[in-house]
Amino acid sequence: MRWRVLFPALLLLAGCQEQEMAKQPKLKTYAFAEAFAGHSAARPLPEGVVARSDPVDPQQALAPPKPTLALVQRGRERFEIFCAPCHGYAGYGDGMIVERGFPQPPSFHSSRLRATSAQHIFDVITHGYGVMYSYGDRVPPQDRWAIALYLRALQVSQMQKGGGQ
């Protein structure tokens, strides 16, 4: 009977060791490293890496691009990825998130949002509005303009179907 108590206790004690991972050899970021060129442990960033805190080019944020079919198609793709979960694929505010209890966003087909400027749409994507949080760090400026352009095309298409409110 005694072994039934001692054996699990021994198993628990056998697992109690200091964290070996904390003691393994490693290089601190700016430490000397003979193995690398320049003798620095800090490695250069791969080409094309963009820091999250990189400033937005003011020209991209202020000047909408010329509308093209490719830009509208890009906007649709980005809309379906970032916007449709809440706003729905047709833009009526009936996305999957709403079906799960999240507050319903306004329909893009309301007279108020049909009359709003593309700059306002760009700014809402960038900074968020109401319950919607900012997508400024997830969606680059050129894609925000593409989404705004696609929304205009979506509004026109739904007006043709009688979907305006």
Side-chain angles (χ1 to χ4, degrees), residues 3 42 60 129 151 155:
W3 64 272
Q60 286 181 329
Y129 186 84
L151 279 178
Q155 288 169 331

Side-chain angles (χ1 to χ4, degrees), residues 31-79:
F32 177 81
E34 194 172 317
F36 299 120
H39 302 292
S40 174
R43 309 307 318 134
L45 295 174
E47 187 176 328
V49 170
V50 178
R52 293 182 85 184
S53 60
D54 276 1
V56 172
D57 179 5
Q59 296 299 52
Q60 286 181 329
L62 296 177
K66 300 254 187 252
T68 64
L69 180 58
L71 193 60
V72 173
Q73 289 171 336
R74 175 73 177 183
R76 178 180 183 179
E77 177 186 272
R78 301 286 100 184
F79 177 87

Side-chain angles (χ1 to χ4, degrees), residues 26 28-29 31 37 44 51 70 77 112 127 137 146:
K26 59 184 168 268
K28 303 259 181 187
T29 305
E77 177 186 272
R112 179 180 68 85
H127 304 292
D137 62 339

Side-chain angles (χ1 to χ4, degrees), residues 1-52:
M1 188 69 167
R2 188 180 212 183
W3 64 272
R4 287 185 182 178
V5 174
L6 289 177
F7 185 70
L10 286 173
L11 283 177
L12 286 173
L13 288 174
C16 294
Q17 295 179 3
E18 289 186 45
Q19 288 187 356
E20 296 297 321
M21 190 168 62
K23 292 184 176 182
Q24 69 183 353
K26 59 184 168 268
L27 296 172
K28 303 259 181 187
T29 305
Y30 296 106
F32 177 81
E34 194 172 317
F36 299 120
H39 302 292
S40 174
R43 309 307 318 134
L45 295 174
E47 187 176 328
V49 170
V50 178
R52 293 182 85 184

Side-chain angles (χ1 to χ4, degrees), residues 64-136:
K66 300 254 187 252
T68 64
L69 180 58
L71 193 60
V72 173
Q73 289 171 336
R74 175 73 177 183
R76 178 180 183 179
E77 177 186 272
R78 301 286 100 184
F79 177 87
E80 289 177 355
I81 292 169
F82 293 106
C83 309
C86 294
H87 292 280
Y89 287 98
Y92 287 99
D94 56 356
M96 186 61 66
I97 300 301
V98 175
E99 292 178 18
R100 288 176 168 64
F102 198 80
Q104 183 173 11
S107 169
F108 290 123
H109 308 294
S110 68
S111 56
R112 179 180 68 85
L113 289 180
R114 279 197 316 268
T116 192
S117 68
Q119 182 69 52
H120 176 75
I121 295 168
F122 179 92
D123 291 341
V124 168
I125 296 169
T126 304
H127 304 292
Y129 186 84
V131 179
M132 180 179 155
Y133 55 84
S134 165
Y135 281 85

